[in-house]
Amino acid sequence: WRLAEKAAVTLVDRLICDLALDVDRHSVGETYLAHRPRHAGGFEKEAEATQENYGVAPEILTQSQLSSAGLAGPFYGAMTTPIGFGLNPRKYVAGLYKGAFAAGTRFFDRSPVVQINEKGVTTSQGHVKADKVILATNGYSSEDIPDWMAGRYMPAQSTAIVTEPLSDTALEAAGWTSDQMAYDSRRLLHYFRLMPDRRFLFGMRGGVFSSVSTEAVARTKVVSDFREMFPAWAKVGISHAWSGMVCLARGRVPFVGPVPNMPNVLAGFAYHGNGVAMGTFSGQLLADMALERRPALYPAAMHHPARRFPLGRMRRALVPPVYAAYHLSDLRR
Ligand SMILES: Cc1cc2nc3c(=O)[nH]c(=O)nc-3n(C[C@H](O)[C@H](O)[C@H](O)COP(=O)(O)OP(=O)(O)OC[C@H]3O[C@@H](n4cnc5c(N)ncnc54)[C@H](O)[C@@H]3O)c2cc1C
C-alpha cells in the first residue's frame, strides 16, 4: 500500500511530463505543522517510521526555525516529507481530458448513468453497449448504481477558499512566504498553501450533505478558521470558495477491482481526500484490468470489496458525532 502511495505521486509526475501539462506545480513534498507541542514532540519517531516505510528522510524544524523558513503561524514545529507536490487540479484534469481526447476517447457529459447491467449502461439519453464498465463516481456515487454500492461509501464534504493575490508586504506581515503545501496536526485538519500566483488556498473537512445552506455554513467556518490562524490577513479578500464531496471507506483504504457478481463492471473509489494522486493510480489499475493486462502494482489492501457502513442510507448520521469528538480532541493540549 505504501509503495502504491509513492507510485501514485510518481505516476502524476510522469503524466505531467509526458503530456507537457501546465498545472502550476509547486512545493517539494508536503509539510506537516504541529498545532500542539505534543505533536511536535512526536516528529522524531514519525520521521523514523517514514524513513523505514517510504525510504525518504523527512526534515524537522523546531518552532524557532519556522519563521526563517517562511512558515510562521500558531505552530510548534514542522516536518516536511519529500513526497508529493502541489498542483492546480482543474488544470490537471483538463490536461488529462485533452490527452485522452487526442488518444480517441469519446466523452458524453450531461448524460447521467441511471443503470448498469451486463450489457453496458443506461443513461438519461440512451443506452451504451460496453464489454467493460468502470465505475468511478467516488463521493458522488449512488446507492443503487449498481445495488452493490449501497452503504459501501461515505461522502464527506470538503471546502476550500482562495484569497485575492497577496502582496509581498502582506506575506511578510504574516510571516508565510513558503511555497510548501501544508496541513496541520488537527484530526479535523486544515490544508493550506501559497499558490504560484500568490493567492492563498485554505480548506478543511465540513458537513456531510451538499446544499446551498450547508455549503454556506462550511464556508463561514473555513473563513473564520483561516482568519484565526493568519490574523495578519484578517482583511484580505476571499475571491473563490467551493465545496465538494470526498469519499471515505470503512476500512480507510480505497477499493479497486471487479464488482462481485458483475463480471463486466470494475470499480475504484474511496480516496479519503487524496484522490488527485490515488485516483490517477487507481485509474491506471482499472485500465489495466479492463484490458486484461497484469498491473505492475496492485496492493492486497485494495483488493477487498469495501465493507458496508452500519445504518444503511442513514449512515451519514454517524459523521457529526465523530467530527464533534475530533473537534474536542483537537482542543486538548
Ligand atoms: C474542497 C476539496 C479539496 C480537495 N483537496 C484535495 C487535495 O488537496 N488533494 C487530493 O489529492 N484530493 C483532494 N480532494 C479530493 C479529490 O478532489 C477527489 O479525491 C477526486 O476528485 C476524486 O476523483 P474521482 O474522479 O474519483 O471522483 P470525482 O472527482 O468526485 O468525480 C466523480 C464524477 O462522477 C460523476 N457521476 C456521479 N454519478 C454519476 C452518474 N450516475 N452518471 C455519470 N456520472 C456520474 C460526477 O458528476 C463526478 O463528475 C479535494 C476535494 C475537495 C472537494
Side-chain angles (χ1 to χ4, degrees):
W1 167 244
R2 289 180 181 119
L3 285 177
E5 288 181 299
K6 260 179 99 174
V9 173
T10 307
L11 175 62
V12 174
D13 183 29
R14 207 189 73 213
L15 285 167
I16 291 170
C17 294
D18 289 355
L19 297 168
L21 305 183
D22 169 15
V23 293
D24 301 339
R25 183 177 172 151
H26 68 100
S27 185
V28 180
E30 58 181 9
T31 298
Y32 176 46
L33 291 155
H35 85 289
R36 294 281 181 246
R38 69 189 156 94
H39 292 113
F43 280 168
E44 292 288 346
K45 262 201 160 154
E46 280 188 53
E48 274 170 33
T50 303
Q51 172 80 59
E52 205 175 304
N53 293 325
Y54 296 91
V56 295
E59 185 195 3
I60 296 173
L61 296 180
T62 61
Q63 187 179 17
S64 62
Q65 294 170 315
L66 293 179
S67 284
S68 56
L71 298 165
F75 313 118
Y76 293 87
M79 185 174 95
T80 295
T81 301
I83 301 175
F85 50 89
L87 53 68
N88 178 328
R90 186 167 179 215
K91 290 190 175 181
Y92 176 58
V93 85
L96 293 182
Y97 169 86
K98 273 193 194 156
F101 188 80
T105 307
R106 293 173 70 200
F107 292 87
F108 301 93
D109 59 1
R110 294 168 208 274
S111 51
V113 172
V114 291
Q115 205 198 8
I116 299 179
N117 57 39
E118 62 284 351
K119 293 200 180 111
V121 298
T122 304
T123 78
S124 57
Q125 313 283 341
H127 303 279
V128 179
K129 277 194 197 160
D131 292 335
K132 294 282 178 196
V133 174
I134 292 178
L135 181 69
T137 43
N138 208 42
Y140 294 90
S141 297
S142 298
E143 297 289 277
D144 56 352
I145 306 178
D147 289 340
W148 176 82
M149 281 301 282
R152 295 187 194 275
Y153 62 98
M154 179 74 86
Q157 189 189 54
S158 194
T159 298
I161 56 164
V162 167
T163 67
E164 298 287 359
L166 295 160
S167 64
D168 288 348
T169 317
L171 295 176
E172 295 296 338
W176 189 283
T177 52
S178 171
D179 286 333
Q180 282 299 109
M181 55 178 183
Y183 61 102
D184 67 19
S185 51
R186 289 175 173 81
R187 296 191 82 178
L188 280 178
L189 63 86
H190 300 103
Y191 49 87
F192 39 96
R193 58 195 176 100
L194 180 62
M195 298 187 291
D197 64 0
R198 308 283 95 178
R199 293 174 189 271
F200 198 78
L201 180 151
F202 188 91
M204 64 186 294
R205 250 341 140 66
V208 284
F209 291 102
S210 187
S211 70
V212 174
S213 60
T214 54
E215 289 187 9
V217 170
R219 281 169 200 188
T220 305
K221 168 76 177 143
V222 175
V223 172
S224 146
D225 282 20
F226 163 67
R227 305 243 192 247
E228 193 181 324
M229 191 177 283
F230 297 101
W233 295 336
K235 296 208 165 75
V236 163
I238 307 297
S239 60
H240 301 77
W242 73 98
S243 297
M245 290 297 177
V246 303
C247 182
L248 318 180
R250 215 175 150 187
R252 300 184 180 203
V253 175
F255 167 67
V256 176
V259 172
N261 305 319
M262 297 187 83
N264 62 329
V265 184
L266 297 159
F269 59 92
Y271 310 120
H272 291 255
N274 291 303
V276 173
M278 197 42 77
T280 306
F281 179 83
S282 301
Q284 189 185 52
L285 262 182
L286 289 161
D288 283 341
M289 289 176 191
L291 296 170
E292 293 173 11
R293 291 189 304 229
R294 197 185 151 86
L297 175 62
Y298 181 26
M302 297 170 97
H303 295 204
H304 306 295
R307 278 186 302 140
R308 289 201 157 102
F309 285 91
L311 304 187
R313 280 176 183 272
M314 304 298 289
R315 66 188 177 284
R316 292 193 202 196
L318 295 167
V319 176
V322 171
Y323 280 4
Y326 282 177
H327 181 61
L328 282 178
S329 99
D330 286 339
L331 294 174
R332 275 207 322 265
R333 285 247 145 221

